[in-house]
Amino acid sequence: MALSVSSSSTIPASGFSRSSQELKAPQFGSFKLLDRPTTFVNVSSQRRCAVKPLNAEPKRNDSIVPLAATISAPEIAEKVEVEEDYEKLAKALENGSPLEIMDKALEKFGDDIAIAFSGAEDVALIEYAKLTGRPFRVFSLDTGRLNPETYHFFDQVEKHYGIRIEYMFPDAVEVQGLVRNKGLFSFYEDGHQECCRVRKVRPLRRALKGLRAWITGQRKDQSPGTRSEIPVVQVDPVFEGLDGGAGSLIKWNPVANVDGEDVWKFLLTMDVPVNSLHSKGYISIGCEPCTRPVLPGQHEREGRWWWEDAQAKECGLHKGNLKQGDAAQLNGNGNGAAHANGTATVADIFNSENVVNLSRPGIENLSKLENRKEAWVVVLYAPWCQFCQGMEASYVELADKLAGSGVKVGKFRADGDQKEFSRQELQLGSFPTILFFPKHSSRPIKYPSEKRDVDSLMTFVNALR
């Protein structure tokens, strides 16, 4: 018996057929025994004829060589890539329309760029891309915990635009490990960062490794604490692109300078599909357990991770928005303050002759008293917090209304060095936290509502005093 090498390609019985099969390199498989009579050969005299090395050159055809030698290869000019100055480009496009910015992005990167679609109002990005007349790609992160309405919305968008959204999913083993070790809702206890890292950030990282640029729906007015300075185009400070390494991925933010109200006017004008959750009070939409509707007058970001500080309301997809100092001060559960040392040059708030500014000893003494002469209502705040700033007028008005009523109104700055104490001793969950100290009880009562208008606060105080 003789040995031969089997190949995945087949040869007709009549011999070699001159077809495209000849041009394909053979794929070598396993050795097998030929089922034929054993023949003994003179190896020394015939080895060179019977066995051909894999790297042997084919027999030279003298009729072809002279012809090939007379053909000169065309000279190809060496392509010199000029490195783009994206800071300069961002300034040039600063006053550009979203359509202009989108067109520039798609023109520059072609099939190597894709729109990140979350299932919220950034459907506007898809509409702008369609209006450019250029081909475009769309991808989305399916975390496995989206609202049913969001999945239906994905289907509507695909049908409306005649596209296929490229979905990215979290690693099943990682999700399984997280849920088995910490349960389905661990983020309520130790912050959303770990769950978002598994379900969103890592899938996004995989998606972006196949691109050279991506397009997001970030706007400056979405989260003043973290997105107020985003440019319309930038070198992505966090993720890597197709070529790998720092600077290998470009991030485009065509609606960075557009107000949310104007985005909605555009969507209504163009009659595009929108997520039905918007009609139920949802503005910023993420995963079902971490998203809720907001009340009139509340900032859209208050509907996301509402149990955490305003400065922590990034899932990690855009953590490059955080300044280095801010990011360093985010603690393990993502509930950090931007000014942990309490020395930031931010103007103080709740300034009124009827609002008592409590020091650390003052709030400690107040919390230890069991028989107070007067009841107290105290806000735990951080002056840089946009939500604290948003309720300043109503809280000062509350203090004015309660003046001389037997209820004192105070404030305690609970960020920085006072944050851990406030968490452990004063029920601080997020800023602002409002506490009522009854006259005859040592334990304060936490205001449970997100309504921070003066009438709601007054109702709370009147019900307890």
Side-chain angles (χ1 to χ4, degrees):
M1 292 190 295
L3 290 175
S4 76
V5 180
S6 66
S7 170
S8 61
S9 60
T10 59
I11 301 174
S14 59
F16 286 97
S17 172
R18 298 198 60 81
S19 67
S20 60
Q21 291 289 340
E22 290 183 84
L23 304 178
K24 293 183 180 179
Q27 297 177 358
F28 294 100
S30 58
F31 286 98
K32 69 178 183 180
L33 296 175
L34 293 178
D35 187 15
R36 64 186 181 188
T38 304
T39 302
F40 295 96
V41 298
N42 188 332
V43 176
S44 61
S45 63
Q46 299 187 28
R47 179 184 297 273
R48 287 191 299 274
C49 301
V51 182
K52 183 178 179 181
L54 296 180
N55 61 349
E57 295 182 1
K59 183 178 179 181
R60 192 153 100 174
N61 187 332
D62 292 333
S63 64
I64 297 177
V65 174
L67 177 62
T70 62
I71 300 175
S72 59
E75 293 185 6
I76 301 175
E78 184 178 352
K79 185 178 179 181
V80 179
E81 293 189 5
V82 179
E83 186 174 345
E84 182 76 68
D85 185 340
Y86 284 100
E87 287 188 11
K88 183 178 179 180
L89 181 60
K91 290 180 181 179
L93 294 173
E94 179 69 17
N95 297 319
S97 68
L99 183 61
E100 178 185 357
I101 298 167
M102 177 68 73
D103 187 69
K104 186 70 174 178
L106 295 178
E107 175 194 23
K108 193 171 185 63
F109 288 95
D111 198 48
D112 289 333
I113 189 171
I115 297 169
F117 178 53
S118 69
E121 76 274 19
D122 49 22
V123 67
L125 298 175
I126 301 178
E127 181 67 17
Y128 281 123
K130 176 191 172 186
L131 293 175
T132 67
R134 300 181 185 276
F136 60 90
R137 297 170 60 189
V138 180
F139 76 94
S140 190
L141 306 177
D142 184 352
T143 65
R145 306 202 71 172
L146 303 178
N147 296 77
E149 293 88 344
T150 299
Y151 290 112
H152 286 298
F153 181 46
F154 285 150
D155 183 62
Q156 285 181 296
V157 168
E158 287 188 328
K159 292 176 179 176
H160 181 83
Y161 290 101
I163 61 174
R164 284 295 182 190
I165 298 172
E166 301 170 39
Y167 296 103
M168 295 299 297
F169 301 91
D171 181 87
V173 175
E174 284 190 298
V175 173
Q176 178 177 289
L178 174 64
V179 173
R180 283 185 175 180
N181 292 331
K182 305 187 72 173
L184 285 168
F185 300 99
S186 60
F187 38 82
Y188 289 140
E189 299 175 2
D190 57 13
H192 72 274
Q193 298 294 335
E194 183 178 18
C195 185
C196 283
R197 186 165 56 250
V198 170
R199 294 181 181 271
K200 297 176 73 173
V201 178
R202 288 176 181 165
L204 176 67
R205 192 179 299 279
R206 294 199 308 270
L208 296 179
K209 282 294 288 182
L211 300 171
R212 287 190 168 89
W214 63 311
I215 302 168
T216 85
Q218 288 191 104
R219 303 191 319 271
K220 291 179 179 178
D221 69 340
Q222 281 176 325
S223 186
T226 59
R227 300 187 179 184
S228 60
E229 299 179 11
I230 55 173
V232 296
V233 58
Q234 64 187 133
V235 175
D236 195 299
V238 177
F239 296 101
E240 295 182 4
L242 187 62
D243 297 329
S248 60
L249 185 71
I250 305 303
K251 186 176 185 180
W252 293 78
N253 309 300
V255 293
N257 298 319
V258 182
D259 291 336
E261 184 178 347
D262 290 332
V263 171
W264 272 101
K265 288 179 181 178
F266 173 71
L267 295 177
L268 295 174
T269 300
M270 303 307 292
D271 194 26
V272 304
V274 295
N275 196 322
S276 62
L277 288 174
H278 291 304
S279 64
K280 301 176 183 178
Y282 292 79
I283 301 180
S284 178
I285 299 173
C287 292
E288 186 277 333
C290 303
T291 307
R292 67 179 183 180
V294 296
L295 299 168
Q298 283 188 304
H299 190 276
E300 65 182 83
R301 215 61 180 167
E302 287 203 56
R304 302 289 295 277
W305 308 294
W306 59 90
W307 63 94
E308 297 182 359
D309 296 344
Q311 291 285 0
K313 292 181 183 287
E314 291 288 357
C315 60
L317 304 190
H318 305 294
K319 68 179 180 180
N321 297 333
L322 299 173
K323 296 183 179 66
Q324 185 174 1
D326 296 349
Q329 290 163 9
L330 286 173
N331 59 25
N333 64 9
N335 292 332
H339 308 287
N341 58 8
T343 60
T345 58
V346 180
D348 200 14
I349 55 178
F350 304 125
N351 295 316
S352 168
E353 61 181 1
N354 293 320
V355 178
V356 179
N357 188 9
L358 294 168
S359 62
R360 168 71 175 269
I363 193 76
E364 285 181 329
N365 291 334
L366 179 62
S367 62
K368 292 176 182 178
L369 289 174
E370 295 187 1
N371 291 298
R372 304 179 185 87
K373 294 182 180 180
E374 295 176 297
W376 282 74
V377 57
V378 178
V379 60
L380 310 181
Y381 74 104
W384 46 261
C385 170
Q386 58 178 324
F387 307 119
C388 297
Q389 296 168 4
M391 67 165 284
E392 181 177 19
S394 59
Y395 194 75
V396 169
E397 185 179 351
L398 174 72
D400 294 341
K401 286 187 174 184
L402 291 175
S405 67
V407 178
K408 289 282 189 180
V409 178
K411 64 177 184 177
F412 175 66
R413 182 168 178 176
D415 64 339
D417 295 337
Q418 308 303 330
K419 190 167 188 178
E420 193 58 34
F421 159 75
S422 300
R423 279 180 170 159
Q424 294 182 4
E425 304 296 333
L426 300 174
Q427 308 176 53
L428 175 67
S430 62
F431 294 119
T433 293
I434 301 168
L435 302 176
F436 184 80
F437 293 84
K439 289 178 63 175
H440 305 295
S441 174
S442 60
R443 182 172 178 77
I445 300 170
K446 186 176 180 178
Y447 180 58
S449 176
E450 294 290 330
K451 296 181 179 180
R452 294 168 186 146
D453 59 281
V454 65
D455 291 335
S456 298
L457 294 174
M458 182 63 79
T459 300
F460 171 69
V461 171
N462 287 336
L464 298 175
R465 67 174 174 172

